Amino acid sequence: MPQTASQNTRTVVLYNSPGDDAAEVAAWRGYIEAYDPAIDFRVWPETGPVEEIEYALAWLPKPGDLARYPRLKAIFWLGAGVDHLLKDKDLPRRVPIVRLVDDGLTAGMTEYVLLHVLRYHRRLPELETQQRQGLWRKLSYPLAKDRRIGIMGLGVLGRDVAHRLVDLGFDIAGWSGSPKQLAGVASFHGDDQLVPFLNRSEILVCLLPLTPATTGIINARTLAALPKAAAVINAARGGHVVDADLIAALDRGHVAHATLDVFTSEPLPVEHPFWRHPRITLTPHVASVTISETASRVVIAGLRAMRDGRAPANVVDLGKGY
Ligand code: NDP
Ligand code: OXD
């Protein structure tokens, strides 16, 4: 006899990441079903009866969609930053929202930031210009211990980046909401310490979550607080940057170069001046991408915790917004 909605005793998990291709979805299905073959893995929009859905694995779902499941027990967000999700005015705030904290995601971000920090430290953009000019000229660079790098956000990602840069011998400072004690990292925190932190950041890396407090934090005032010819690397969210202020700072040479991975509107519209700016390096939100092989292990640990009646790790603090 076919089961009715109320008779379905299998755990029902909905995968709701509309941008993913079939291979990605199949990989997630494989990992989740390997953990528990009895899980009923459904892929949006083929949800079946909405009252059967217990857990959602989601990334950029249609706004309002997650409110449709009355028996939802948790949302596993398949990314680290939950700003898109929290913008959904119909978000079911009664259930835990678990953000992605995953070694694979962390490693990807650290690679990206190191790549661009080293590029600026070793003056690669200038060397590339010289190559185009057929110019053979040696450019000097300071020892790593004399290169001051500032990391905005000392959370999961910022801390890993900081540790790796300390290992390479750089002079590292970090700025966060609360004070930190990290070996080799000068800790700055709170609004009062933002300008002193910026004053010493020759290469500024943004790894903050996007919240009302951090929106537009890279603006004319904060860029002016950087040392002359600083470089800016934004791998967090486009909303951290006031685009026109960054372009103005680049055009007058106060900022020498910027690497931008994230934008207020994605894909970045073709007419946006960032595309053609000679001193902007632009990547299409790939600083770190969620890889199902590692991310699924984290999601499964969270599912297991919830099915055992324990709280999952990395639940978003809705009050703080990250
Ligand atoms: P965490 O939540 O672990 O860390 C956030 C850090 O920012 C914490 O140190 C926190 O301070 C600090 N912070 C938050 N608000 C403020 C504030 N108002 N003033 C000062 N410091 C503040 O986040 P993750 O490290 O996991 O991720 C950071 C962001 O990276 C994500 O939110 C996401 O937007 C972005 N990201 C981008 C990716 C890409 O491919 N481009 C990939 C993955 C993530 P405290 O420690 O005191 O709480
Ligand atoms: C994330 C992202 O937040 O991919 O994980 O941007």
Side-chain angles (χ1 to χ4, degrees):
M1 196 170 67
Q3 281 190 330
T4 64
S6 56
Q7 288 172 319
N8 190 345
T9 53
R10 298 169 71 192
T11 300
V12 183
V13 171
L14 174 68
Y15 188 84
N16 188 344
S17 179
D20 286 356
D21 61 23
E24 184 64 9
V25 176
W28 274 95
R29 179 189 292 284
Y31 289 119
I32 298 293
E33 291 181 351
Y35 155 59
D36 179 355
I39 283 183
D40 184 348
F41 186 88
R42 300 189 188 164
V43 180
W44 187 90
E46 310 297 327
T47 62
V50 290
E51 60 279 10
E52 292 184 351
I53 305 297
E54 293 169 86
Y55 298 99
L57 275 49
W59 176 248
L60 307 185
K62 239 174 81 194
D65 185 77
L66 295 170
R68 294 174 53 232
Y69 312 106
R71 290 183 54 234
L72 194 67
K73 295 180 182 158
I75 298 168
F76 292 94
W77 190 243
L78 302 182
V82 290
D83 46 296
H84 296 105
L85 184 62
L86 300 188
K87 270 197 310 214
D88 184 344
K89 61 180 178 27
D90 297 318
L91 178 69
R93 290 173 172 258
R94 64 186 166 78
V95 303
I97 294 164
V98 182
R99 74 186 192 94
L100 187 64
V101 172
D102 161 35
D103 289 349
L105 194 70
T106 303
M109 182 58 80
T110 298
E111 285 170 11
Y112 184 90
V113 174
L114 260 60
L115 174 73
H116 292 275
V117 162
L118 291 172
R119 179 162 180 259
Y120 294 129
H121 171 58
R122 296 298 300 265
R123 303 177 64 180
L124 205 59
E126 291 157 87
L127 292 170
E128 285 166 352
T129 303
Q130 290 189 178
Q131 179 182 348
R132 283 192 294 276
Q133 296 165 341
L135 189 62
W136 180 277
R137 190 171 70 200
K138 298 190 187 210
L139 300 179
S140 63
Y141 53 89
L143 290 169
K145 73 175 179 55
D146 296 322
R147 178 68 82 191
R148 300 178 128 197
I149 299 169
I151 303 168
M152 301 175 97
L154 283 178
V156 174
L157 302 179
R159 276 198 308 268
D160 195 65
V161 167
H163 287 142
R164 297 302 190 100
L165 289 170
V166 166
D167 288 348
L168 289 175
F170 288 102
D171 182 348
I172 304 299
W175 181 72
S176 46
S178 50
K180 303 282 180 254
Q181 283 198 319
L182 300 174
V185 180
S187 165
F188 292 76
H189 70 278
D191 294 344
D192 294 349
Q193 294 183 11
L194 178 56
V195 168
F197 160 81
L198 294 168
N199 287 165
R200 50 143 292 152
S201 297
E202 294 172 285
I203 301 176
L204 180 72
V205 178
C206 180
L207 285 172
L208 289 166
L210 188 66
T211 67
T214 65
T215 297
I217 197 161
I218 300 178
N219 56 40
R221 182 182 74 87
T222 51
L223 290 168
L226 295 173
K228 186 158 169 51
V232 173
I233 299 170
N234 183 23
R237 286 290 181 264
H240 289 124
V241 174
V242 178
D243 296 2
D245 291 0
L246 178 60
I247 289 176
L250 284 161
D251 287 346
R252 61 171 211 281
H254 187 71
V255 171
H257 209 105
T259 290
L260 305 174
D261 182 59
V262 282
F263 306 91
T264 305
S265 175
E266 294 182 6
L268 184 66
V270 282
E271 65 279 7
H272 197 290
F274 282 167
W275 278 111
R276 286 165 299 281
H277 199 288
R279 282 184 288 117
I280 288 179
T281 300
L282 184 158
T283 52
H285 201 144
V286 291
S288 188
V289 295
T290 298
I291 296 173
S292 53
E293 180 183 342
T294 53
S296 61
R297 286 186 218 138
V298 179
V299 169
I300 286 164
L303 274 174
R304 183 174 288 133
M306 290 209 65
R307 294 167 97 197
D308 292 350
R310 291 178 285 116
N314 303 308
V315 173
V316 172
D317 179 336
L318 292 176
K320 284 169 44 179
Y322 64 96

